[in-house]
Amino acid sequence: MDGASDGGRGTPAGRSETTLTVDQDMISLFGFYRDRVHSFQFVLDDLSEIEKLICSLLNHEVQAQQIDNHSLCLLHAIMAAGAQFSDLPTAMRLSKSSQNLHSALKYLGSFDLLWNPSKRLIQALLILGHVLQNNMNPRAAWILGGTTVRVALSVGLQQPTNYCALRLSPTEAQQLRLAIVWQDALLSLAFDRPPASHEMDLESDLPALISLDPSSQPIDYRQAMNWLCHLSFRHLPRLPQTEPVRNYSRLFHDFDCYESSLAPHLQALQRSTSIQELHEHYS
């Protein structure tokens, strides 16, 4: 299937091969993604729009044939991730996740990936990276992560001002950068390799730390993870086989500032006041 000729839309013959999960599966798997994955792997800044799209499909207001390939890829990626965190029996969970993973990857099998990158495509690549990691395939996730970084750089997502070819709002561009850096940092640490997304690691995307700006607020879980990734980029080498840390005093100072800026429940379990905060503390 090749959607390059129409900006991410596949041919009718190709789209007719698409098999979305049955209605109940779509509802339940999306629910698992929204409730169990989204809060801890923040990729989608417009989850409500995705939910509206799914409702439109279920209500037959739109047909799968009318949806562009990148959005279909993203939907299948979401279902694959939702299945991994579902309450289904193990065999069924693996089957549904694998089925949706392969359906999502099918939409990456054309040069549309190269000719017509989009926000939905980058979001899909990020979620697929998480799915591959959770599927005990970190090598594939690392390779796909490199592709994600290159796609983002190719459209100018690293620019702090609105020069992105995708015509994203500053907030949309910021959220994509943070999600890419988050994934790249974790994969790079896992493989002991220098990160590839240094150009998108902008401190201006992050909230101020309390120790540096007393008027700022404590940082929540998502912001804490973004800062942790930023600090790992700052202190880990950019080239392989170089000294891991060159300035230990600055390293300790940076992490002292970081820890003192965390929200209370992230610093102490006893200060958690909700189940969500307990989850965030342990994660």
Side-chain angles (χ1 to χ4, degrees):
M1 186 189 321
D2 185 3
S5 61
D6 55 356
R9 295 184 181 274
T11 62
R15 289 197 305 268
S16 66
E17 299 172 2
T18 302
T19 304
L20 289 172
T21 51
V22 296
D23 291 2
Q24 189 57 48
D25 274 351
M26 290 184 67
I27 294 171
S28 61
L29 296 183
F30 177 80
F32 285 125
Y33 178 86
R34 179 192 58 211
D35 299 336
R36 299 183 179 181
V37 182
H38 176 66
S39 298
F40 298 96
Q41 295 177 357
F42 186 69
V43 173
L44 304 174
D45 64 328
D46 54 354
L47 187 64
S48 60
E49 293 301 315
I50 302 298
E51 190 164 2
K52 289 178 183 177
L53 177 59
I54 292 175
C55 289
S56 296
L57 279 168
L58 297 178
N59 295 333
H60 305 292
E61 295 175 9
V62 297
Q63 301 297 318
Q65 293 86 346
Q66 299 173 279
I67 302 175
D68 63 272
N69 284 347
H70 296 171
S71 294
L72 287 173
C73 179
L74 177 59
L75 288 179
H76 281 296
I78 289 171
M79 301 304 164
Q84 288 181 327
F85 287 85
S86 69
D87 293 328
L88 297 170
T90 302
M92 188 177 297
R93 186 168 67 241
L94 292 173
S95 174
K96 289 186 181 296
S97 179
S98 178
Q99 176 188 348
N100 280 286
L101 172 61
H102 284 90
S103 294
L105 292 175
K106 179 175 65 175
Y107 292 103
L108 301 182
S110 72
F111 283 103
D112 185 50
L113 170 72
L114 304 178
W115 307 142
N116 293 298
S118 68
K119 175 184 176 180
R120 290 286 181 245
L121 174 64
I122 295 173
Q123 289 174 325
L125 289 170
L126 286 166
I127 294 176
L128 288 173
H130 290 305
V131 171
L132 290 169
Q133 283 180 270
N134 294 330
N135 202 32
M136 303 299 290
N137 202 339
R139 181 172 178 270
W142 185 63
I143 294 171
L144 189 64
T147 301
T148 308
V149 172
R150 297 297 182 270
V151 170
L153 291 174
S154 74
V155 297
L157 197 61
Q158 74 277 16
Q159 301 290 341
T161 51
N162 194 21
Y163 293 114
C164 180
L166 301 183
R167 301 183 184 278
L168 302 176
S169 70
T171 300
E172 288 178 304
Q174 177 194 52
Q175 295 301 334
L176 280 180
R177 283 194 298 270
L178 291 172
I180 291 170
V181 168
W182 184 334
Q183 185 177 82
D184 188 35
L186 296 181
L187 287 171
S188 297
L189 286 171
F191 281 90
D192 193 25
R193 300 292 299 173
S197 59
H198 274 287
E199 291 179 76
M200 284 179 281
D201 178 36
L202 307 179
E203 190 163 328
S204 58
D205 286 340
L206 303 171
L209 298 179
I210 292 178
S211 56
L212 303 178
D213 180 4
S215 65
S216 61
Q217 298 296 315
I219 56 177
D220 60 24
Y221 170 79
R222 188 175 299 154
Q223 295 167 336
M225 287 299 298
N226 292 144
W227 259 105
L228 195 58
C229 295
H230 174 68
L231 292 177
S232 73
F233 275 35
R234 177 184 293 177
H235 292 286
L236 292 178
R238 295 195 179 199
L239 296 173
Q241 299 179 345
T242 56
E243 186 178 350
V245 178
R246 296 183 178 182
N247 190 332
Y248 283 96
S249 61
R250 186 183 179 191
L251 172 68
F252 295 141
H253 174 266
D254 285 348
F255 275 90
D256 284 342
C257 292
Y258 167 78
E259 290 181 7
S260 65
S261 300
L262 294 173
H265 72 280
L266 297 177
Q267 297 188 44
L269 178 65
Q270 295 76 10
R271 303 177 76 176
S272 301
T273 59
S274 68
I275 299 300
Q276 178 67 23
E277 289 187 351
L278 288 173
H279 284 312
E280 290 177 355
H281 177 87
Y282 282 119
S283 64

